[in-house]
Amino acid sequence: MKVLVVGSGAREHALVVSLLADDSVDEVVAAPGNAGMAGIVRTVALDASSLLVGGSFSSVSGSPATNIAQFQTTCPATVTSTGPGCNGTAGLLQTTVTPAPWIGVTSLSRTTGLVANAFAFVLYGFTNPNVTLASLHPLGGQGCGLYAYPDIAFLLFPFGGEVTTSVTIPNDPTLAGIVMNHQVVQFELDQSLQTTAINSANGLRLQFGLF
């Protein structure tokens, strides 16, 4: 029996050692593995634009590939920064998107650092205005920018200092390579529900990928 262990941490290392001691296991391969694993088993590098496939085969498309093949895509899903977030009353506003926006996958956007007495616009746009909030409104915070045109906008209220949204990318190959800009903009409110400050999280550029 041949076993592929995916990971690079201490838990995966311990699993590799345990499998090597199992008489029913003929070979162990780690992907991506770490320096310690590389000394005892074969390791295979991984990146965001590759797909690792294991099975009972010795070649792929005429090239030698004993039990493991790595496929590369020319259109990877990527998440890159287009501008920094700025500080609100509760601290730095920060947005992350996981997993990367592959065709047919649901990606989760999570923004932290929001205040309880506020509302937030979650923006998705095809262009990046790259302008300061202060140039758009006198309440725009220092160092705050707008990095996503609001072609699509959701109004959300923070819970526990954060807002989350999920976006399912249709399983349509024609969407591969499309770029969307994404950002969250917060409007802080006083006790009378008047806006006291406008600040923004970092901007993200999402490119839809396809294998």
Side-chain angles (χ1 to χ4, degrees), residues 14-35:
L15 178 59
V16 165
V17 172
S18 177
L19 288 168
L20 288 174
D22 189 332
D23 292 337
S24 66
V25 176
D26 300 315
E27 183 184 7
V28 179
V29 178
N34 56 34

Side-chain angles (χ1 to χ4, degrees), residues 81-123:
S81 175
T82 55
C86 62
N87 288 309
T89 302
L92 180 67
L93 279 74
Q94 190 72 24
T95 298
T96 57
V97 170
T98 55
W102 293 99
I103 299 298
V105 168
T106 297
S107 291
L108 177 68
S109 167
R110 176 173 178 258
T111 302
T112 57
L114 289 89
V115 300
N117 201 31
F119 62 87
F121 283 105
V122 180
L123 310 178

Side-chain angles (χ1 to χ4, degrees), residues 120-133 136 145-155 179-187 198 200 203-204:
F121 283 105
V122 180
L123 310 178
Y124 291 90
F126 293 102
T127 58
N128 174 6
N130 195 20
V131 296
T132 64
L133 291 186
L136 301 174
L146 181 66
Y147 307 114
Y149 191 84
D151 292 303
I152 303 171
F154 303 98
L155 176 62
V179 171
M180 293 288 285
N181 295 281
H182 172 48
Q183 189 179 26
V184 172
V185 177
Q186 172 182 245
F187 287 68
I198 305 173
S200 57
L204 295 175

